[in-house]
Structures are given as structure tokens and as C-alpha cells.
Amino acid sequence: MLFLFLQLQFTVAAQSKPMAKVLDSILVERYNEEAWRFKNTAIDTARQRALMAIELATQIEFPRGVADGLHILGMVQWSRGDRAGALDYYLQALVIRRAITDSLGLGRSFNNIGNVYFAQENYDSAQVYYLQGRDIRSKLLDIQGLVYSLSNLGDVALKMDDVSKAKQYYDQSEQLARRENFVTAIAHVKGRLGKLSLQLDDQATAQKHWEEALSFAEQSTDRRLIASCLQEVVRLMMLNQEEVLPLQEDYARRSLELAAAAGALDLQTEAAMLLAQLSALKGDFKQVYYYQAHYRQLAEALVEKSKNDAITAIQESYTFERQAEEELAAEKRLGQQLSERNNRLLFGLLLSGILLALVLAGSLFRAYRKQFAFSNTLEVKNKELAARYADLREFAKIASHDLKEPVRNIGAFANLLQRKQGDLLNKEGQEYLAFILGGARKMNDLLGDLQLFTDLASRVKSTTQSIDLKPLLEEVFKKQAEEQGKPAAKLIIHQLQRIKGHPELLSILFEQLFQNALKFDKAEAPEVDVSCQLSGKSYQLQIKDRGVGIEKEYQKQIFDIFQRLDKQHFEGTGIGLAICRRIVELHQGKIWLESTPGQGSTFFVELPAW
């Protein structure tokens, strides 16, 4: 009897482990389902659930759960605007899904990787992945996924100016979506058809498609989708009709409310701008002021968020670079120590004979292995550094592209307002309009300088060139004097040396320094002195202006990114001197300044004499 009892206990215990794994796998799927549900509305919660799913799935060796969690993390990064981070997670998920032959998951991976390449304007690569996703989803009869694959292929065809092929893909996608009554998918495709019609300059048909998209979107619970459709309908109404209709204002207000409920800061900003434009067209400038102020608050919040993301990425890259340099320096010191040890051992070999030679051979072999490992470490560090720079440049490109779109919309509709209602605006209205156009221009300048800053390393050539400074300085100074509206400005060149460097980067360096020298000098004919002399193993350039000068406590921080000392009286992005410091660092040099308030500044640039 006791034997039967023990046998029963053993059987239950043996069966409990598989049962526990089944229960844990169900829990992993639940975490991933919750993450998927929150990926657009509460991305922090979605990320937390996905990480919980990955951790548990790893513990119980459930690869599909790990892949699904990684894929959702990619979608979270996509929502945050981090395209490079999204691609990294998508590729990790793709590797696992290929290994376990997860066909449904592979279709999703191919589609989302295609989305990243599409956002990078690499349409050929995007098309390759979209086609693979379409083929898999077609075999699996994954109709909902197939709808979006066909729509994405239509987007690629439209970007490649193949309008007929784009329409063919969109029509196929719409037929499938209607057959299965996927309302969000129908709204999505109708919006694509609206963009196609607008590209063909058929504004009436475009408005009809977007109105249909809105009718289907309102049958869903996707507040972001509804808000986006409402805004597109309002914009097309403004293009197609001369007068402002109450329906346009109602749609714009609903869009603002839905965007706020969805936490979509970008759509809130655009909705506030639409309401300001509609109020201006009606001549209701009190409402214009209200919505313009609301827009300004939202735009500043959006810019601040993007700026913080950019600063974080730049700081992380800068920190990583410094750590990599320190590690490489340590590895080099180790290599030198190993080399010195080898020399001592070789000297001992000559004195000690064959017996000692055998001992040295073993030691040399170990030293060789360490040096070989050191070489591999160098290679890995260089690749990691290059990858981090590539991610940073990609971030800047994507951030610039995504943020320039609303800036272009602001400028376009401000010009539309000026063209259609400019004669009806009073002086106050004209000031509002100038404020809108000026804000768009400043935002565009900021994005351009940010992209230039992060792209500097890619402009470094493999070898330096011998440069005659005089014609280079004269050309850059003349261009800056014309742009600053100071044609009488004078460049005083003293003793110069031919230097070695990268011409394109040095042109940007002098452009930024001359721009500051002329901008901060209130004289009608400002003067700038430039000299260059060889000092030891370095060239030292001095650029002296007669501007407002800089207090001593600020003379170091002005080289940091986004640092501006006088925002009220002088325009700028706060990136110019950070660009200068980065260019000098890429030449393995250093830059500093000496300044007296009210008497001007002298910038010193020290470059190695290669």
C-alpha cells in the first residue's frame, strides 16, 4: 500500500513540471497580448508587459514568447520615434522566428522591418521585405495582415511614382478589408487613396476618400485614427472651399479633444494650428490668439520632448565614445607592456640557451594570444563605435524628417492664409501671421543644425589635405557677410600657414565662427582679424572679433549644445559652437576663447601639424 502511494506521488510530481510550463506559457501570451493592446495608448505599460513576457519566456525556454515580446518592444520604440532601436528589436525577433519556423510571426517581422526602411526612404529594401510579408500572409490566409501588406506595397509604388501600380495595390487591399469588414483597415486604405488623389492634383476626389475614411474610423475605438482623419478632411475642405463652414470648426475641435484623450501631442499641435487658421479665415482674431497660444504651448512641449530625446542620444553617444577611447588606451598600454616583456624574454633567450628558449616560446605564445585578443577587442570596439554613430545619424535624420512635416504644414497653410485672406487681415492679424512663419523658419533652422551636428563624423575623409587658408577664409567670409546683410564687413588676414585638414569640415568651422562674429557686432562695417602660426607641433589659428563679448563664467558652457546666452536680442539655434568643437575634435585638436564683455572675443583653434 505504501509502495502504491509513493508511486502515485512520484507520478503527480513528474506531471506537475510540464503542467507548470504550460501555465507559464499561457501567462507569457497574456503579457504579450496586454502589451499589444497598450502599444499605441500606453507605451510605458506596453514596454513593461513585453519585458515581463520576455523574462518569463526565457526562463521556461519558450522562444515564440521571447520573439513576440521583442517584436512589441520594437513597436514601442517605433512609437517613440526611435527607428534604429525598433529595427534592432525587429531583427532579433526575426532571427528567433526563422529558427522556430513561426510563419505568422515572420509575416509581421517582414512587414515592420519594411516600415523602418520605408521611413528611411530606402524604398527598394522596403519593397523586398513587404513582398516577403505579403507572400507569407497570403499562404496563411492572414487576411488582416495581407490588407496592410498590400497597402504598404502601394505606398512604395507611390513613392516610386508608379501611380497605376499603387492604385492596383490599394484597390486589392480595400476589397479584402471590405470583405472581412475590418473598419480600421478600410479607413487606413481610404486615407491612402486620398493621398494618391491629392498627388494627382484631384482635390475633390481626395476629400471624398478622406470623408469615407472618417466614416469607417468612427466605427472603431481608435481615437488617434479618428483625429487624424478629421484633420485631413478639414485641410481638404480649406483647399476646396473659399468660406469657413461650421462643420470644419466642429471637426477640428473634435480632433483636438480626441488627440488629447489619446495622448497624441503631435496631433494636438496640428489641431490647434488648424483651429487658429480657421479663426483667422473668419476674421475672429481673439480666437486666433487663443488657439495660437495653445498651439505654442503644445509645439514647445513637442520640441522640448524631441530636443530631450536628441540630447540624450548625443550624450549617450559622447559618453560611449569617451569610454571606448579610455578602453582602447588601456588596451594599448597593455599591448606596450606585453611588447616590453617580449623584448626582455628575447634578451634572456640569447643568454640562457636552448632550455630557456623552450620556456620563452610558451610565454611568447601566450603573449601572442593576448595581443591577438587585443586586436579583436580593438576591432569590436571600432565596430560598436561606428554602429553607435550610425544610430545617432539615423536618429537625427528621422527626427528631422518627422518634425519637418508639421513645420512644412504650418508654412504651407500660413502662405495659404496670406494668399486668400491677406488683404482682409488688420495689422494685428499680419503680426500673428509673421509670428507663425517666423516660428516655422526657426524650427527648420534648429532641425537643420541638429542634423549637421550629428552628421559631421560621416564627412571625415580617410586622409587630410594640404589647405591654402587665404582663399578658403575669403570665400566663407564673403558669403557670411552677404547673408548677414553686412556687405561692408572687412576680413583682416595676417600671417597664415598652409595647414592639413578636411576642407569641408574646416569650411563649416569658419562659417560658424564668422557667422557669430558678424551677428554679435552691431557696427555696419564690422572687422574680423584672422591669423595662423606654427606653435611646436600644432597650428594655432586666432579669429578675433569686435562683438559684444562673453562673460568669463560662460566661456566654457557656450561650446555645449543648445546653449544661447542672449535669446531675446540675437537669433540662433544654440548649436553653432557645439558644431565648431566637434569639428576641431575630429581633427584631434582643441578650441577655446578669451573675451572681454563689450570689447569682443578671440577664438583659438589648435590643430595638429600632421
Side-chain angles (χ1 to χ4, degrees):
M1 191 70 178
L2 179 61
F3 173 75
L4 291 175
F5 175 75
L6 291 174
Q7 187 178 38
L8 177 62
Q9 290 290 96
F10 177 79
T11 302
V12 170
Q15 291 177 347
S16 64
K17 290 184 178 180
M19 181 60 68
K21 184 173 182 178
V22 170
L23 293 174
D24 284 341
S25 65
I26 293 173
L27 186 58
V28 167
E29 291 181 345
R30 196 184 85 184
Y31 287 152
N32 278 329
E33 286 173 1
E34 291 176 352
W36 183 273
R37 190 166 66 250
F38 291 124
K39 68 183 185 300
N40 293 323
T41 56
I43 57 177
D44 289 334
T45 302
R47 177 177 174 78
Q48 180 188 33
R49 294 292 191 276
L51 289 172
M52 291 167 63
I54 292 170
E55 182 179 4
L56 182 56
T58 303
Q59 292 174 2
I60 64 173
E61 299 180 354
F62 181 30
R64 183 168 63 82
V66 175
D68 290 346
L70 288 169
H71 188 88
I72 295 168
L73 286 178
M75 300 184 78
V76 168
Q77 294 305 107
W78 175 273
S79 297
R80 288 176 169 172
D82 181 5
R83 305 291 191 258
L87 181 60
D88 182 54
Y89 282 125
Y90 291 153
L91 291 173
Q92 290 182 55
L94 179 64
V95 170
I96 297 173
R97 285 166 168 172
R98 275 179 168 158
I100 63 176
T101 321
D102 177 10
S103 298
L104 183 63
L106 282 171
R108 293 174 178 171
S109 290
F110 287 138
N111 188 74
N112 284 31
I113 293 171
N115 288 341
V116 176
Y117 283 119
F118 185 88
Q120 296 173 352
E121 299 180 5
N122 185 348
Y123 302 124
D124 290 330
S125 297
Q127 186 177 47
V128 169
Y129 280 99
Y130 284 153
L131 287 171
Q132 291 183 78
R134 180 202 63 180
D135 293 344
I136 287 177
R137 287 169 164 176
S138 180
K139 290 178 182 178
L140 294 175
L141 298 179
D142 176 14
I143 304 302
Q144 189 165 7
L146 187 57
V147 167
Y148 287 101
S149 289
L150 290 169
S151 174
N152 291 336
L153 286 167
D155 293 343
V156 171
L158 195 59
K159 287 293 184 180
M160 293 179 170
D161 294 325
D162 192 343
V163 176
S164 61
K165 194 170 185 179
K167 189 172 188 311
Q168 181 182 353
Y169 279 129
Y170 290 149
D171 288 341
Q172 292 176 13
S173 178
E174 183 183 2
Q175 289 173 9
L176 287 174
R178 285 183 179 276
R179 191 180 76 186
E180 301 296 329
N181 196 30
F182 295 143
V183 291
T184 55
I186 298 172
H188 169 82
V189 179
K190 277 295 179 184
R192 292 298 191 269
L193 287 167
K195 289 185 177 182
L196 184 147
S197 299
L198 199 58
Q199 185 164 321
L200 294 174
D201 204 25
D202 187 353
Q203 297 173 1
T205 304
Q207 181 176 337
K208 180 180 177 183
H209 282 306
W210 275 110
E211 286 173 346
E212 289 186 61
L214 175 60
S215 68
F216 283 103
E218 288 181 321
Q219 298 177 41
S220 73
T221 58
D222 191 336
R223 290 176 291 196
R224 183 181 178 88
L225 176 62
I226 300 170
S228 178
C229 289
L230 285 166
Q231 290 182 13
E232 292 298 336
V233 172
V234 171
R235 291 191 183 98
L236 287 163
M237 285 180 173
M238 292 171 69
L239 288 173
N240 293 331
Q241 298 166 0
E242 292 292 334
E243 58 180 314
V244 178
L245 301 177
L247 184 62
Q248 296 175 21
E249 292 182 288
D250 178 59
Y251 279 5
R253 288 194 188 96
R254 284 183 57 204
S255 172
L256 182 61
E257 293 169 0
L258 288 167
L265 193 60
D266 55 336
L267 289 179
Q268 291 181 66
T269 305
E270 294 184 22
M273 176 54 68
L274 280 175
L275 285 164
Q277 292 166 353
L278 289 169
S279 299
L281 290 172
K282 288 175 57 182
D284 186 352
F285 293 106
K286 183 178 180 180
Q287 285 294 95
V288 170
Y289 180 80
Y290 170 78
Y291 285 118
Q292 183 62 41
H294 189 41
Y295 160 79
R296 188 164 59 251
Q297 292 174 350
L298 293 168
E300 287 174 356
L302 186 61
V303 171
E304 188 65 25
K305 180 179 180 300
S306 301
K307 186 190 294 185
N308 290 338
D309 290 342
I311 292 173
T312 300
I314 292 168
Q315 289 174 340
E316 287 178 354
S317 176
Y318 184 80
T319 302
F320 180 83
E321 179 185 355
R322 289 291 178 268
Q323 290 175 346
E325 288 175 354
E326 291 173 1
E327 291 174 5
L328 290 176
E331 294 288 352
K332 287 179 180 178
R333 289 194 296 271
L334 176 61
Q336 291 173 353
Q337 293 171 2
L338 292 172
S339 179
E340 291 173 1
R341 183 187 301 174
N342 290 344
N343 290 335
R344 290 196 297 270
L345 291 174
L346 288 172
F347 178 74
L349 176 64
L350 295 174
L351 297 176
S352 304
I354 298 175
L355 181 61
L356 187 57
L358 295 174
V359 176
L360 288 173
S363 180
L364 285 171
F365 177 71
R366 288 193 299 273
Y368 168 77
R369 290 181 62 185
K370 289 183 179 179
Q371 287 179 325
F372 181 76
F374 162 65
S375 299
N376 287 341
T377 301
L378 281 178
E379 183 179 358
V380 170
K381 295 296 182 185
N382 286 333
K383 287 181 178 178
E384 289 177 353
L385 197 57
R388 185 59 65 97
Y389 274 127
D391 286 347
L392 184 59
R393 289 195 301 273
E394 184 60 30
F395 172 84
K397 178 181 177 182
I398 291 168
S400 176
H401 179 274
D402 287 356
L403 290 176
K404 280 185 177 179
E405 182 65 27
V407 173
R408 282 194 293 268
N409 284 338
I410 292 168
F413 279 98
N415 285 325
L416 175 66
L417 173 61
Q418 189 176 47
R419 188 174 69 250
K420 288 193 173 185
Q421 301 289 332
D423 296 338
L424 302 178
L425 297 176
N426 58 18
K427 183 179 179 181
E428 189 178 20
Q430 292 289 350
E431 290 177 356
Y432 292 152
L433 189 59
F435 174 80
I436 295 169
L437 291 170
R441 184 181 66 256
K442 289 178 183 178
M443 183 64 180
N444 192 64
D445 291 343
L446 176 64
L447 294 172
D449 281 354
L450 176 61
Q451 189 166 10
L452 173 61
F453 178 83
T454 56
D455 197 42
L456 288 172
S458 66
R459 304 185 183 210
V460 176
K461 307 299 181 184
S462 58
T463 58
T464 57
Q465 299 180 26
S466 178
I467 302 172
D468 185 355
L469 280 176
K470 189 172 185 295
L472 176 63
L473 291 168
E474 289 176 341
E475 180 184 353
V476 174
F477 187 84
K478 181 180 178 182
K479 178 183 176 184
Q480 285 303 310
E482 292 175 353
E483 290 183 359
Q484 295 285 331
K486 298 181 178 181
K490 185 177 180 181
L491 177 65
I492 303 172
I493 297 178
H494 301 282
Q495 181 183 1
L496 292 179
Q497 300 278 343
R498 290 186 70 89
I499 68 171
K500 289 186 177 181
H502 303 285
E504 182 183 4
L505 291 181
L506 290 177
S507 293
I508 297 173
L509 170 68
F510 295 129
E511 178 182 309
Q512 297 294 335
L513 292 175
F514 287 154
Q515 185 181 88
N516 280 350
L518 297 174
K519 178 168 62 176
F520 292 106
D521 192 331
K522 298 179 180 179
E524 293 184 3
E527 295 181 355
V528 179
D529 295 82
V530 180
S531 63
C532 176
Q533 58 187 0
L534 185 62
S535 176
K537 296 183 179 180
S538 301
Y539 296 112
Q540 189 179 91
L541 290 89
Q542 297 183 21
I543 300 92
K544 183 178 181 180
D545 63 50
R546 294 164 178 78
V548 295
I550 301 170
E551 297 285 352
K552 187 173 182 178
E553 60 264 31
Y554 300 121
Q555 291 179 12
K556 288 186 178 180
Q557 74 180 59
I558 62 167
F559 290 103
D560 294 334
I561 193 166
F562 299 123
Q563 293 298 320
R564 291 173 56 201
L565 302 184
D566 191 344
K567 299 181 181 181
Q568 293 183 348
H569 300 93
F570 299 98
E571 293 187 356
T573 61
I575 305 178
L577 290 178
I579 290 173
C580 293
R581 183 177 68 177
R582 184 66 182 139
I583 291 173
V584 174
E585 287 177 347
L586 289 170
H587 282 82
Q588 300 175 26
K590 56 183 179 179
I591 182 171
W592 71 96
L593 71 90
E594 294 177 0
S595 180
T596 302
Q599 298 181 20
S601 305
T602 301
F603 284 83
F604 296 86
V605 178
E606 191 171 276
L607 302 176
W610 280 290

